[in-house]
Amino acid sequence: MNNTFNEVLAAIMSHRSIRKFKNEKLTPSQIETIVRAAQMASSSRFMQAYSIIGLTDPALKRELSEITKTPYIEENGHLFIFCADLKRLTVMGTEQEKQDMRMMLESSVFYQIAVTDTALAAQNAVLAAESLGLGAVIIGSVSKDIRRLDQMLALPEYVVPLFGIAVGVPDQQPEIKPRLPLEAVYFENRYPSESDLKERIEAYDHDMRHYYQTRSENNRDAGWSRSHIDLLKLQLPLSGMTEYLHGKGLNVT
Amino acid sequence: MNNTFNEVLAAIMSHRSIRKFKNEKLTPSQIETIVRAAQMASSSRFMQAYSIIGLTDPALKRELSEITKTPYIEENGHLFIFCADLKRLTVMGTEQEKQDMRMMLESSVFYQIAVTDTALAAQNAVLAAESLGLGAVIIGSVSKDIRRLDQMLALPEYVVPLFGIAVGVPDQQPEIKPRLPLEAVYFENRYPSESDLKERIEAYDHDMRHYYQTRSENNRDAGWSRSHIDLLKLQLPLSGMTEYLHGKGLNVT
């Protein structure tokens, strides 16, 4: 591999998502550290196009946990909802300027930028939490009933929730999940041919089948590709996300 | 602030983008470390929905640098192009399964997931590079002529370039840029009213005007909000991104 080692790499390389937490709340100082760390990520044109909402109201947490059937949305040390936010950029403008900004804000380009900014910040948040001895998991399922979540958080135009991050004191120690082989993810100058790509994934599919069969929790009998193909071909309805985004003024054109 | 300190937080909190590099290539071991670090980020349903392409061909780097008028696309220790990639998930499927997967892959939900996965990985890559004593900058402008970049990299359906990351030995030491005040980014339970939000941004706009006026390079005379409003109201054409994405089978429905 290589002869470099430092604390940052050690932290990055030992990441695993934690989905079971001890009954212990984060301190205000821990929350502040995590948010400030998130803010230090790069941001396209320094737009800082995200907002982070701490969901602390027990009734709202319970409701969201029930909607999503995800117990660690309720049971954690703190729940952050990461939102793409293009609104903050506009609030100091005049009414005419706000109208003039619509064209660019409603584009898929700016939606992509806001999602990217939000995720860059989120990864810093996860690493910061882990560096404090806490565990974290990014939760996509908060969007299961995205209109209800939008309403809970009183989100205005140009602000949409992308995912949650539950943080807390770990009450489990899952294995590190093996990633795709480097040669199936990193290429030089050109994307490989489909047959090359297949070759590079085959051994991984085999290994992951073994991993899923033998890991300590949530066992199953399928390789990496097969799990995803079987899910994706189900043609599940995707909860009107496009219409929701359009209604929020995002990803329209 | 808080009484916690560790090497990971120190690294996160001292981030600044580096746009001028010494003429020194990354070693294969450094490249591998950065890619493996990127891969350790969380990924939605473990889809690992991104690919990373090292652009090393000098002619291609020069061309991309000229298209984007961005010299550090050519002059760096290594240039990574981060691509959202939903193709890899599909290659082991039968032809019928590939057809059946279209509906979900073409949705805005899966596009958002792929962009998120890619950016989470990218932030790890930036931090890993910095932990090795290197500098990095995320470059959105690689998409300026996205069809040409797509062609350069021979990207198939479901694979689109999102941004580049230039990495190298720093040849500048820019100031750390002040982020939005925490109370303008982090909220509890509810997004604030527009007037609350304005109040929380005003002092920052004032401070950033001073920062932009006095920083060592690339000075200008505008606050944070004003810079963005003046840009966004220009109604610049956004290079047919939506049509490009649709042509790649992404963000269609």
Side-chain angles (χ1 to χ4, degrees):
Chain A
M1 162 112 204
N2 72 75
N3 52 14
T4 50
F5 175 85
N6 61 59
E7 294 294 329
V8 177
L9 288 177
I12 289 173
M13 299 309 291
S14 62
H15 166 73
R16 63 270 274 169
S17 297
I18 298 296
R19 293 179 173 82
K20 193 158 186 284
F21 302 99
K22 293 192 174 146
N23 188 9
E24 203 175 309
K25 293 290 158 216
L26 265 61
T27 65
S29 152
Q30 287 173 322
I31 295 168
E32 179 176 335
T33 299
I34 290 168
V35 174
R36 289 197 189 279
Q39 290 190 260
M40 287 308 298
S42 287
S43 147
S44 182
R45 294 178 185 272
F46 203 49
M47 295 203 297
Q48 307 177 75
Y50 53 86
S51 284
I52 306 170
I53 303 189
L55 199 63
T56 57
D57 181 325
L60 294 183
K61 284 179 81 172
R62 173 153 317 144
E63 185 186 341
L64 192 59
S65 172
E66 280 167 7
I67 290 172
T68 57
K69 300 186 177 50
T70 306
Y72 43 91
I73 285 182
E74 187 177 2
E75 294 151 14
N76 51 54
H78 199 73
L79 180 65
F80 299 94
I81 309 287
F82 275 66
C83 304
D85 184 347
L86 291 169
K87 179 188 173 66
R88 195 193 297 105
L89 294 169
T90 69
V91 293
M92 302 303 284
T94 64
E95 286 310 310
Q96 182 60 51
E97 285 175 327
K98 285 179 186 169
Q99 282 307 315
D100 293 343
M101 284 184 268
R102 296 201 75 84
M103 195 195 91
M104 290 179 78
L105 291 174
E106 290 182 347
S107 66
S108 59
V109 174
F110 274 76
Y111 173 62
Q112 182 181 301
I113 285 174
V115 174
T116 300
D117 270 17
T118 311
L120 292 170
Q123 183 56 21
N124 265 7
V126 168
L127 284 170
E130 290 171 346
S131 83
L132 299 174
L134 301 167
V137 60
I138 303 182
I139 312 170
S141 66
V142 294
S143 315
K144 197 160 183 183
D145 183 348
I146 199 163
R147 287 176 177 80
R148 176 64 190 125
L149 179 59
D150 182 286
Q151 192 182 42
M152 274 185 197
L153 304 177
L155 300 181
E157 196 182 35
Y158 302 140
V159 186
V160 295
L162 299 183
F163 46 79
I165 303 185
V167 178
V169 179
D171 196 21
Q172 62 175 184
Q173 176 74 325
E175 294 92 343
I176 294 180
K177 218 185 272 187
R179 266 52 182 176
L180 281 160
L182 188 121
E183 62 273 17
V185 167
Y186 179 73
F187 317 117
E188 231 176 88
N189 293 312
R190 293 178 66 84
Y191 199 87
S193 69
E194 182 152 335
S195 57
D196 272 5
L197 197 53
K198 277 185 174 175
E199 265 178 39
R200 296 176 198 198
I201 296 173
E202 257 167 4
Y204 179 68
D205 274 338
H206 182 268
D207 293 350
M208 281 304 287
R209 189 170 168 198
H210 180 73
Y211 167 83
Y212 285 133
Q213 284 170 333
T214 60
R215 67 178 173 181
S216 47
E217 290 178 60
N218 194 19
N219 296 33
R220 53 181 141 132
D221 184 20
W224 180 79
S225 293
R226 182 44 51 196
S227 307
H228 291 298
I229 293 166
D230 287 347
L231 172 75
L232 289 166
K233 72 183 185 189
L234 289 181
Q235 310 198 11
L236 299 174
L238 294 166
S239 67
M241 175 72 94
T242 303
E243 295 71 27
Y244 165 76
L245 290 172
H246 290 183
K248 302 292 290 189
L250 293 174
N251 200 29
V252 179
T253 57
Chain B
M1 161 109 202
N2 72 74
N3 52 14
T4 50
F5 175 84
N6 61 60
E7 294 294 329
V8 177
L9 288 177
I12 288 174
M13 299 310 292
S14 62
H15 166 74
R16 64 267 275 171
S17 297
I18 298 296
R19 293 178 173 82
K20 193 158 187 283
F21 302 99
K22 295 195 173 144
N23 188 9
E24 205 175 306
K25 292 290 157 215
L26 264 61
T27 65
S29 151
Q30 287 173 321
I31 295 168
E32 181 177 335
T33 299
I34 291 168
V35 175
R36 289 197 189 277
Q39 290 189 261
M40 286 310 296
S42 287
S43 148
S44 182
R45 294 178 185 272
F46 203 49
M47 294 202 298
Q48 307 177 73
Y50 54 85
S51 283
I52 307 170
I53 302 188
L55 198 64
T56 57
D57 181 325
L60 293 183
K61 283 179 81 171
R62 171 154 316 145
E63 184 187 342
L64 192 59
S65 172
E66 281 167 4
I67 290 172
T68 57
K69 301 187 177 49
T70 305
Y72 44 90
I73 284 180
E74 187 177 2
E75 294 151 15
N76 51 52
H78 200 72
L79 180 65
F80 299 93
I81 309 288
F82 275 66
C83 303
D85 184 346
L86 290 169
K87 180 188 171 66
R88 196 194 296 107
L89 294 169
T90 70
V91 293
M92 302 303 283
T94 65
E95 285 312 308
Q96 183 58 50
E97 286 174 327
K98 285 179 185 168
Q99 282 308 314
D100 294 341
M101 283 184 269
R102 297 200 76 84
M103 194 197 92
M104 290 180 77
L105 291 174
E106 290 182 348
S107 66
S108 59
V109 174
F110 274 77
Y111 173 61
Q112 181 182 301
I113 284 174
V115 174
T116 300
D117 269 18
T118 310
L120 293 170
Q123 183 57 20
N124 265 7
V126 168
L127 285 170
E130 290 171 346
S131 82
L132 298 173
L134 302 166
V137 60
I138 302 182
I139 312 170
S141 66
V142 294
S143 315
K144 197 161 183 181
D145 184 348
I146 199 164
R147 287 177 177 77
R148 177 63 190 125
L149 179 59
D150 182 287
Q151 193 180 43
M152 275 185 194
L153 305 178
L155 300 182
E157 195 181 35
Y158 303 140
V159 187
V160 296
L162 299 183
F163 47 79
I165 304 185
V167 178
V169 180
D171 196 21
Q172 63 175 183
Q173 177 73 325
E175 294 92 343
I176 294 180
K177 217 185 275 186
R179 265 51 180 178
L180 282 160
L182 188 120
E183 61 273 20
V185 168
Y186 179 72
F187 315 116
E188 231 175 87
N189 293 314
R190 291 177 68 84
Y191 199 86
S193 71
E194 183 151 334
S195 57
D196 271 5
L197 197 53
K198 275 184 173 173
E199 266 179 39
R200 297 175 196 198
I201 296 173
E202 258 167 5
Y204 180 67
D205 274 338
H206 183 269
D207 293 349
M208 281 305 288
R209 189 169 169 199
H210 180 75
Y211 167 83
Y212 285 133
Q213 283 170 335
T214 60
R215 67 178 174 181
S216 49
E217 291 179 61
N218 194 19
N219 296 35
R220 52 180 141 130
D221 184 20
W224 180 79
S225 292
R226 183 45 51 197
S227 307
H228 290 296
I229 292 166
D230 287 348
L231 172 75
L232 289 166
K233 72 186 187 189
L234 290 181
Q235 310 197 10
L236 299 174
L238 294 167
S239 68
M241 175 72 92
T242 304
E243 296 70 27
Y244 165 75
L245 289 173
H246 290 183
K248 301 294 287 193
L250 293 174
N251 200 27
V252 179
T253 57

